[in-house]
Amino acid sequence: MASLAVENYVKAIFKLSQGGCAGRATTGQLAAEVQVAPGTVTAMLKTLSQQGLAVYTPYEGVRLTEAGRALALAMVRRHRLLELFLARSLGLEWDEVHEHAERMEHAISDGLLERIDALLGSPRFDPHGDPIPDAGGQMAELQARPLSSCPPGQRFRLVRVLEQSPAFLRALRGQGMRLGTVGEVVDRAGEGGAVVIALPDRQVLLDHAAAASLLVQSPPEPAAESIGD
């Protein structure tokens, strides 16, 4: 059975290496992610290598082995299912669920986790729109684009939030933005500028970084009325 520290490290490597060069994470990135000194990271990476969970190359970074990736996906599944359970069943806000899930994911049994999955209807996405791996480690593909890339006049539906700090999530909630929120881009002030969006009851000004962290899809068009309706 993996230790809490090992579980946290493989999950952090998985998060940092998604979309990275050859699926690698650097020691500096890991140190910032798990909030420890680089020397502590190096020692743990040697442990992961000895356990067959990762391959560490000095000055190049670390990548997960198949065994390491399987463990990481299992931990991601636990975390995201617990976040959704806390939000949907206990009514916690999306800015409140992460810390609770972080503590619970290491203690919950596989059997209880699968009962939570069944209770929730085997969901595919967590409260932030992140895909939840299934029991076999497969995740749904979400086709979406950053809000910052949408031109004026583009209608959108918010489907995922990449920046998940509690302060940012609370700010979005205060502006009336949640998953599923539908709006329209009103104006863009250049590549590095602000984005103005119109929501059903207000206009919201987002800086470029905030808009880039919001992934959106085109909402379904209202059904046309049939002749005679």
Side-chain angles (χ1 to χ4, degrees), residues 135-222:
Q138 300 299 310
M139 290 190 289
E141 293 287 340
L142 183 64
Q143 301 298 322
R145 62 187 293 190
L147 179 59
S148 58
S149 70
C150 295
Q154 174 72 55
R155 295 181 69 247
F156 65 85
R157 179 169 61 92
L158 180 61
V159 296
R160 188 176 185 184
V161 180
L162 300 179
E163 165 56 50
Q164 296 174 13
S165 68
F168 182 69
L169 293 171
R170 282 194 297 270
L172 290 179
R173 179 157 57 91
Q175 293 168 332
M177 299 190 70
R178 299 177 178 272
L179 291 191
T181 294
V182 174
E184 181 177 325
V185 177
V186 176
D187 191 24
R188 288 174 56 194
E191 185 66 25
V195 178
V196 181
I197 61 173
L199 302 180
D201 61 346
R202 72 189 76 185
Q203 282 198 351
V204 174
L205 176 67
L206 300 167
D207 64 33
H208 187 269
S213 75
L214 305 181
L215 301 189
V216 300
Q217 296 174 335
S218 297
E221 295 295 331

